[in-house]
Amino acid sequence: MSDVVLDVQNLCVEFPTRKGLLTAVDGISLQIQRGEILGMVGESGAGKSMTGMSILGLLEPPGRIAAGSIHLSGDRIDDLDDRAMQAVRGRRIGAIFQDPLTSLNPLFRVGDQLVETIRLHTDLDKPAARERARELMREVGIPAVEERIDSYPHQFSGGMRQRIVIALALCAEPELIVADEPTTALDVSIQAQITALLKRLCRERGTAVMLVTHDMGVIAETADRVAVMYAGRLAEIGAVDDVVRRPQHPYTKGLMGSIPSLRTDVEELQMIPGSMPRLNAIPPGCAFNPRCAHAGPRCREEVPRIARGDITGAACWLAQAGTTLTPGEAA
Amino acid sequence: MTLRNNAILEVDALERRFDVSAPWLNRLIERKPRKTLRAVDGVDFVIQRGQTLALVGESGCGKSTIAKLVTGLHSPSGGSIRFHGDRDRLQMIFQDPFASLNPRWRVARIIAEPLRTLSPDTPEAEVSARVDELLRTVGLAPADGLKFPHEFSGGQRQRISIARALAGDPEFLVCDEPTSALDVSVQAQVLNLMKRLQKKMDLTYLFISHDLSVVRHMADVIAVMYLGRIVEIQPTADLFANPLHPYTGLLLETIPNLEAPKRDRSPMVGEVPSPVSPPSGCSFHPRCPRAFDRCKTERPQRSAKVHNRRVACFAAEQGAPDVQ
Ligand SMILES: Nc1ncnc2c1ncn2[C@@H]1O[C@H](COP(=O)(O)OP(=O)(O)OP(=O)(O)O)[C@@H](O)[C@H]1O
Ligand SMILES: Nc1ncnc2c1ncn2[C@@H]1O[C@H](COP(=O)(O)OP(=O)(O)OP(=O)(O)O)[C@@H](O)[C@H]1O
Ligand code: SF4
Ligand code: SF4
Ligand SMILES: [Mg+2]
Ligand SMILES: [Mg+2]
């Protein structure tokens, strides 16, 4: 058996709209190994959540997978029907979303929701499931579990709700966890608890994790590899140290430059000029070319891609030519 | 006293309690007592006009509750909030851009709403020109005004709520995690925009963020909260250079650091205590590396004698200079 838990090949997601077809994800290929955390970063609207939703089989119509394949530990899952996919989702893939309210039912006590999910995916009886629910709540750092187990979701703070969602995702001990900005609204100490929890799951249970986040600090301390998305495409992928310290793609460079520093003071943060193109107005060639200081004629005609099967690389003509990038240089 | 004169917001002994008792029938049968949760438990601070005060602290410590008290979405259970500005020009950017945008309205209508409330006689053409301008300001396109919220990604929705807040021509903005759903390059654009607007229009911000590098960049003053109380409040540079409260020290050590990543960073020790039954004395004592006997029985207060009201901690009192 190979160690590849998630294998996404040439994934394309499109939305038919009144004004034609929008391609939200355009030919993404990536793999996650057993026990590995792949970080996903990129411009807001770049297609990170769509990629995650495709893997979970939760794309909302009219959105649809237009091409490509998704395999989970060797089993193809992108062509399963709704019922089969629902079983995979609960048992084999756990989901943690940015908005905890999408995963919690406001009308039920959190303890009951946990017990129900545990019983759906395991054969524990009610008292055992309740004990397991307590354990999971403790594991994700809910204080005074006895007092809070019968509370309703709205009685928790944003961060505590998210921890309940994580407990829900862990109920069935899945092979893969897709975590879409799980720590976005959490303070640093809870964030550290949750990333430590994810890391422990990877190490101890061999869980593979796709971690979508905007927080580069979290990526640097949690992920093994990182994928950078821009306008529906993969801009760069590689080992976390390489991407953070020696980014190859001009967009990744810009991204790293705009992070507020803990050491130096600046009046204005560095910005990448302009904004990401609308999905219906992606320029020909490299999607980043209107904002890129290095853009040359080839960039405006041909789409640069990371060769399929490559585990590191940058979708950039200049980087692929082996040139080191310095600002202002034109290809 | 002269400093106080330019205050736009003064919060004194502010309290907010929530009833989190089991339903009365359960209480009757299981003989469970009533339970109250002190989400905000005696909070004081002042914000000067044109400045930014940031609230930081662990999840559940009461930051969003303070934001909602200041904007009037919750009523206080005790204490006072004095706002010396125009209530109509107090706007809020919510932590949760999913819940705060009306899903049945088109984006242009959502953004125009505060504008129409504030000056109902504005001609339609002017409203739509202003909406287009606001969309561009937050990095969206005028054509996006015709879409519905569900057609946008999380970060794009947050930009819509920022545009809506700006539409109300605010003088005071309560920003609850305004950029945590944004990628760092859009975040840089939004933060730069907020700073520029602040300078141009003398805006005041109550700014909540869990990202301490963002807070460091934005805030003039930082208030650190723990379990419903402010345990430390200092000008930003002082707080980073010389954290006075042990909790602040631990918080600063826990920041994930891009410049020097620590892959084996361990989370802060100890369980986050329950706000329903907070620990006795200093509520941080079960997790505090510097705790001593007195901390278990007595509650430290911020006093003028200890670092000029900057910190509530017995250990910080020892050897503290008498700054007046
Ligand atoms: N129902 C829809 N109809 C049309 N376009 C959509 C729809 N839902 C999403 N999109 C578009 O698909 C693109 C990808 O969205 P996605 O949610 O994957 O972005 P993301 O990378 O997760 O962004 P963020 O970091 O802001 O969460 C966005 O440009 C968005 O506008
Ligand atoms: N409507 C409510 N009913 C009962 N308890 C509540 C209610 N709203 C908030 N609380 C409780 O009050 C405390 C403070 O919550 P608040 O949302 O202010 O925290 P926060 O500091 O904003 O946290 P986060 O960083 O997670 O957003 C929490 O313990 C929460 O469970
Ligand atoms: S150099 Fe060319 S290919 Fe590379 S990012 Fe810039 S525009 Fe794209
Ligand atoms: S008062 Fe005591 S327990 Fe509280 S922070 Fe200070 S030293 Fe620690
Ligand atoms: Mg997303
Ligand atoms: Mg909050």
Side-chain angles (χ1 to χ4, degrees):
Chain A
M1 203 187 95
S2 120
D3 267 353
V4 176
V5 174
L6 178 72
D7 185 8
V8 176
Q9 290 298 328
N10 190 36
L11 178 70
C12 296
V13 174
E14 52 184 38
F15 283 92
T17 66
R18 296 177 297 271
K19 282 183 243 137
L21 218 53
L22 295 182
T23 306
V25 176
D26 182 8
I28 297 281
S29 299
L30 49 86
Q31 297 189 328
I32 312 182
Q33 309 280 321
R34 231 179 99 75
E36 183 181 55
I37 301 182
L38 176 75
M40 293 262 278
V41 300
E43 193 98 351
S44 157
K48 304 178 295 292
S49 297
M50 290 298 149
T51 304
M53 290 304 221
S54 310
I55 294 164
L56 290 162
L58 287 177
L59 273 184
E60 277 187 36
R64 60 171 187 237
I65 296 182
S69 67
I70 304 171
H71 285 81
L72 180 67
S73 306
D75 306 326
R76 185 155 182 182
I77 56 167
D78 56 293
D79 55 359
L80 296 178
D81 62 34
D82 283 354
R83 262 192 60 193
M85 195 56 210
Q86 206 175 349
V88 169
R89 200 157 50 231
R91 220 177 289 256
R92 300 183 59 189
I93 311 179
I96 306 168
F97 297 111
Q98 180 176 354
D99 177 15
L101 292 177
T102 53
S103 317
L104 293 171
N105 188 326
L107 301 177
F108 292 97
R109 298 166 195 275
V110 297
D112 295 343
Q113 299 191 45
L114 283 165
V115 167
E116 194 192 333
T117 311
I118 293 166
R119 296 201 61 199
L120 193 67
H121 298 301
T122 65
D123 32 61
L124 296 179
D125 63 10
K126 220 169 173 179
R130 198 166 161 91
E131 188 43 48
R132 178 84 188 114
R134 283 198 197 96
E135 239 172 73
L136 284 167
M137 283 176 76
R138 246 172 255 132
E139 198 164 345
V140 297
I142 299 290
V145 169
E146 269 324 307
E147 279 169 33
R148 302 312 292 267
I149 191 163
D150 290 320
S151 302
Y152 292 92
H154 77 271
Q155 294 177 317
F156 288 88
S157 75
M160 286 196 284
R161 276 202 285 264
Q162 190 60 297
R163 283 182 277 164
I164 299 287
V165 171
I166 294 173
L168 273 171
L170 297 181
C171 284
E173 307 206 355
E175 294 153 58
L176 171 72
I177 289 183
V178 176
D180 195 347
E181 307 193 28
T183 60
T184 291
L186 305 187
D187 62 277
V188 287
S189 59
I190 305 294
Q191 193 180 63
Q193 275 180 18
I194 285 170
T195 52
L197 186 72
L198 288 174
K199 276 195 273 192
R200 204 178 74 221
L201 288 171
C202 287
R203 207 171 47 234
E204 290 172 5
R205 300 185 189 168
T207 317
V209 176
M210 174 185 268
L211 176 65
V212 179
T213 172
H214 292 305
D215 192 323
M216 291 294 174
V218 168
I219 291 277
E221 296 192 344
T222 313
D224 301 299
R225 288 190 306 131
V226 54
V228 184
M229 282 188 75
Y230 187 81
R233 299 173 193 161
L234 216 50
E236 180 159 5
I237 188 165
V240 70
D241 277 351
D242 294 342
V243 176
V244 169
R245 282 175 209 288
R246 290 174 293 279
Q248 298 297 307
H249 196 287
Y251 171 66
T252 320
K253 284 207 149 181
L255 208 56
M256 297 301 160
S258 51
I259 302 168
S261 163
L262 281 166
R263 302 221 180 112
T264 47
D265 290 305
V266 288
E267 189 48 38
E268 293 248 306
L269 297 167
Q270 200 180 307
M271 298 190 288
I272 307 173
S275 55
M276 196 174 71
R278 308 275 89 197
L279 291 181
N280 58 8
I282 305 228
C286 172
F288 189 60
N289 83 60
R291 304 171 76 185
C292 181
H294 311 284
R298 190 179 183 187
C299 309
R300 294 185 195 97
E301 283 154 20
E302 263 180 275
V303 180
R305 299 247 181 219
I306 298 166
R308 262 216 250 168
D310 276 8
I311 55 164
T312 66
C316 166
W317 292 123
L318 199 62
Q320 286 177 6
T323 326
T324 352
L325 297 171
T326 43
E329 172 188 354
Chain B
M1 283 322 276
T2 45
L3 264 178
R4 282 218 147 193
N5 289 343
N6 204 18
I8 184 162
L9 183 77
E10 291 176 86
V11 168
D12 275 308
L14 185 64
E15 283 181 31
R16 171 69 209 208
R17 293 180 289 269
F18 291 108
D19 184 353
V20 291
S21 316
W24 70 270
L25 194 62
N26 295 45
R27 282 208 313 275
L28 211 67
I29 299 168
E30 299 161 31
R31 292 170 184 280
K32 282 190 183 160
R34 249 183 196 288
K35 269 188 234 161
T36 343
L37 183 152
R38 294 171 176 272
V40 176
D41 188 16
V43 158
D44 304 302
F45 62 85
V46 176
I47 310 183
Q48 306 298 329
R49 192 178 287 275
Q51 294 230 315
T52 301
L53 177 116
L55 293 176
V56 303
E58 224 151 37
S59 163
C61 69
K63 305 178 297 292
S64 296
T65 306
I66 292 185
K68 288 176 188 161
L69 286 163
V70 167
T71 41
L73 292 168
H74 280 326
S75 51
S77 318
S80 69
I81 299 170
R82 272 168 296 161
F83 181 62
H84 309 292
D86 179 356
R87 271 259 155 210
D88 289 335
R89 292 175 59 206
L90 189 156
Q91 297 283 335
M92 173 154 179
I93 301 170
F94 289 91
Q95 180 166 7
D96 186 353
F98 297 88
S100 60
L101 301 177
N102 187 333
R104 280 184 295 273
W105 284 11
R106 289 183 200 276
V107 164
R109 182 169 171 205
I110 293 176
I111 296 175
E113 190 201 28
L115 228 140
R116 294 207 169 100
T117 319
L118 204 64
S119 31
D121 308 328
T122 320
E124 233 7 72
E126 205 173 297
V127 171
S128 81
R130 180 96 177 98
V131 167
D132 289 357
E133 183 197 321
L134 285 162
L135 280 166
R136 268 191 291 262
T137 304
V138 296
L140 295 170
D144 289 326
L146 299 173
K147 299 186 191 159
F148 290 97
H150 75 265
E151 293 177 74
F152 293 88
S153 76
Q156 291 166 334
R157 276 183 244 193
Q158 189 61 302
R159 286 191 251 179
I160 296 168
S161 58
I162 293 169
R164 177 182 57 184
L166 294 177
D169 187 22
E171 65 174 338
F172 189 102
L173 258 182
V174 177
C175 317
D176 195 354
E177 304 276 5
T179 61
S180 50
L182 305 179
D183 67 275
V184 286
S185 77
V186 177
Q187 168 174 285
Q189 292 178 344
V190 170
L191 295 181
N192 285 346
L193 170 75
M194 287 180 67
K195 274 206 154 179
R196 247 177 275 145
L197 289 172
Q198 177 166 47
K199 244 189 242 144
K200 207 168 91 192
M201 296 153 56
D202 206 24
L203 282 178
T204 310
Y205 296 131
L206 174 59
F207 191 91
I208 298 174
S209 172
H210 69 280
D211 186 331
L212 288 159
S213 57
V214 168
V215 165
R216 181 174 175 274
H217 180 69
M218 293 299 288
D220 299 294
V221 177
I222 298 176
V224 182
M225 292 188 64
Y226 192 77
L227 228 56
R229 318 188 91 210
I230 291 178
V231 294
E232 172 161 3
I233 182 164
Q234 292 213 66
T236 304
D238 296 354
L239 185 113
F240 275 86
N242 184 23
L244 298 168
H245 197 280
Y247 174 65
T248 314
L250 289 173
L251 206 59
L252 295 184
E253 276 170 31
T254 323
I255 308 176
N257 193 342
L258 187 67
E259 286 138 284
K262 268 213 296 211
R263 297 192 56 96
D264 52 355
R265 183 183 304 285
S266 51
M268 207 180 284
V269 293
E271 208 178 343
V272 187
S274 154
V276 177
S277 47
S280 63
C282 170
S283 50
F284 189 57
H285 87 252
R287 303 169 78 186
C288 181
R290 297 175 67 185
F292 53 103
D293 283 349
R294 187 178 174 197
C295 309
K296 292 183 190 135
T297 52
E298 232 180 291
R299 201 176 219 199
Q301 307 287 342
R302 277 158 50 208
S303 85
K305 288 207 197 76
V306 182
H307 296 287
N308 201 15
R309 293 184 41 82
R310 287 179 172 201
V311 65
C313 166
F314 295 129
E317 272 179 26
Q318 295 167 354
D322 269 22
V323 199
Q324 283 303 325

